[in-house]
Amino acid sequence: MRVDNVHTRTLWWESGSIRMIDQPKLPHRFVLVDLPTYRETATAISDMTVRGAGAIGATGALGVAQAANEAPDRGFHGFVTEAANHLRATRPTAQNLFAGIDYVLKAIEAEADNIPRARAAAIAAANAFCDDDAESCRRIGELGAPIVAAKPRVSTHCNAGWLAFVDWGSALSPIYAAHRGGADPFVFVDETRPRQQGSQLTAWELGQEGVRHAIIADNATGHYLKAGEIDMVIVGSDRIAANGDVANKIGTYTSALAARAAGVPFYVAAPTTTIAAHTATGADIPIEERSGDEVLYVWGWSDDGRFIRVRTAPAGSTAKNPAFDVTPADLVTAIITERGIVPATVEGIRSVTRA
Ligand code: MRU
């Protein structure tokens, strides 16, 4: 996608380093960071310099390739296994992270007896995984665009745009494709407390693409749905269980309930790397619990150009901070994947699951 009309991706491999957009600095600063070792890459996932299921999946894949690059010949496989475990432990919910790590490990295993070839295979596989993520998201846009064109007043939650992937995005990709195809969608952007991925990232992306939008407080979504001002809801997903239950950013479930009550369709868009065939239902999806400080404080830029943290809650209060919730399959109208638009049922999910 474009930043000030220049095509860019969210992250990419650059001579052993990973270069990525520093997402917490957006929308006020566009900063690129370089991560020269897999350990720094892992930290960038856990501290959310990079976030979004597809983007952390791609980062995990590139991180394993980095580890293969860093590993000494002697003890190569032990080093890579330890690095993969370290990367796996960064965030628990998004399936794409595990898909990315496993994809590159498989390529290394295929060349297990020849370390130079294993290194080359790891780098090639990680880059292929990134390209596949971008292409899957482009295809999701193509398939979902007619839905958006027919239902142009759209609500979305969190950021499932190109910043959450390598390029294009999942939930926002059909909006971009419809807009580029001549439609004029209007997007209700949930602010998405506590980390503001909606107001900081989705709104910025839509602005870069020239898509009309308004940021609303999370608690305003039900109001606009009930008032008949929203034609459809579309969100991304961090993990889809085998029965079609969907984990996504905290607050998604509330939005799905309100959509059902208002008779508004609720779509989920995700590449098939988000499907966890071994996760039977939403109850089996691990939900990340993040620091309560994310609720008690806000980050922002001071007038004198400093990135600062300000406490908004009383000094003695504590907070709970689940990062995701699960929307039951029966609230989901359909799931838009790169392999087709399917119902959120065991059969629907099975029909698009990768081998
Ligand atoms: O905590 P994050 O920002 O990594 O959460 C991921 C998300 O942005 C959303 O839940 C998104 O809708 C799905 S990821 C494509």
Side-chain angles (χ1 to χ4, degrees):
M1 299 295 286
R2 297 183 291 227
V3 178
D4 296 334
N5 275 324
V6 177
H7 177 263
T8 187
R9 282 182 161 190
T10 303
L11 57 114
W12 61 92
W13 177 265
E14 205 160 286
S15 323
S17 238
I18 298 171
R19 180 166 278 199
M20 61 172 56
I21 298 173
D22 187 346
Q23 299 200 30
K25 301 283 188 327
L26 289 170
H28 301 293
R29 302 278 195 284
F30 181 80
V31 177
L32 296 177
V33 285
D34 282 309
L35 308 165
T37 68
Y38 86 82
R39 285 190 171 273
E40 285 155 281
T41 298
T43 302
I45 299 173
S46 51
D47 72 12
M48 293 178 69
T49 299
V50 61
R51 37 61 54 200
I56 67 175
T59 306
L62 293 173
V64 176
Q66 240 178 343
N69 228 13
E70 287 170 49
D73 285 359
R74 213 184 153 90
F76 175 86
H77 291 291
F79 186 99
V80 170
T81 303
E82 199 182 307
N85 290 340
H86 185 78
L87 287 158
R88 256 186 237 288
T90 50
R91 294 193 73 189
T93 305
Q95 177 60 21
N96 310 58
L97 174 64
F98 309 111
I101 291 169
D102 289 342
Y103 188 81
V104 179
L105 284 179
K106 213 166 149 188
I108 293 173
E109 273 158 32
E111 298 288 358
D113 298 335
N114 184 319
I115 291 170
R117 284 226 301 263
R119 284 197 187 99
I123 297 166
N127 281 309
F129 189 84
C130 293
D131 290 345
D132 179 80
D133 181 84
E135 174 54 22
S136 294
C137 287
R138 190 200 63 75
R139 178 72 182 139
I140 286 170
E142 204 167 69
L143 290 173
I147 303 175
V148 172
K151 297 181 184 302
R153 299 174 305 168
V154 183
S155 158
T156 194
H157 190 69
C158 196
N159 172 261
W162 64 270
L163 290 166
F165 290 87
V166 173
D167 208 349
W168 288 101
S170 55
L172 298 191
S173 187
I175 296 171
Y176 294 140
H179 184 251
R180 288 186 181 193
D184 183 24
F186 182 89
V187 185
F188 291 78
V189 179
D190 289 356
E191 189 181 22
T192 316
R193 283 280 295 147
R195 291 190 64 106
Q196 324 267 91
Q197 289 96 329
S199 59
Q200 294 186 351
L201 305 178
T202 295
W204 180 78
E205 281 194 24
L206 292 170
Q208 291 288 330
E209 192 66 14
V211 176
R212 293 184 306 126
H213 62 279
I215 298 165
I216 58 171
D218 297 326
N219 34 15
T221 310
H223 166 77
Y224 284 112
L225 282 162
K226 184 154 148 276
E229 295 191 34
I230 293 172
D231 302 319
M232 65 179 280
V233 179
I234 188 165
V235 296
S237 175
D238 298 86
R239 192 186 295 214
I240 300 174
N243 72 339
D245 290 348
V246 172
N248 194 48
K249 181 53 57 192
I250 190 77
T252 301
Y253 173 51
T254 318
S255 181
L257 286 170
R260 170 59 56 87
V264 171
F266 182 90
Y267 290 94
V268 173
T272 52
T273 40
T274 304
I275 295 172
H278 58 279
T279 303
T281 74
D284 304 309
I285 299 176
I287 301 294
E288 178 180 12
E289 181 76 32
R290 294 189 61 85
S291 165
D293 282 0
E294 292 182 351
V295 177
L296 301 170
Y297 294 84
V298 291
W299 284 90
W301 293 93
S302 67
D303 286 345
D304 60 358
R306 286 172 303 129
F307 192 51
I308 55 167
R309 196 174 87 142
V310 181
R311 186 167 179 117
T312 57
S317 296
T318 60
K320 289 179 180 293
N321 187 17
F324 302 97
D325 60 25
V326 174
T327 298
D330 66 289
L331 294 178
V332 176
T333 304
I335 299 181
I336 306 171
T337 77
E338 79 281 10
R339 295 182 164 195
I341 301 175
V342 296
T345 59
V346 170
E347 298 71 32
I349 298 299
R350 197 181 293 137
S351 71
V352 290
T353 298
R354 295 189 189 206

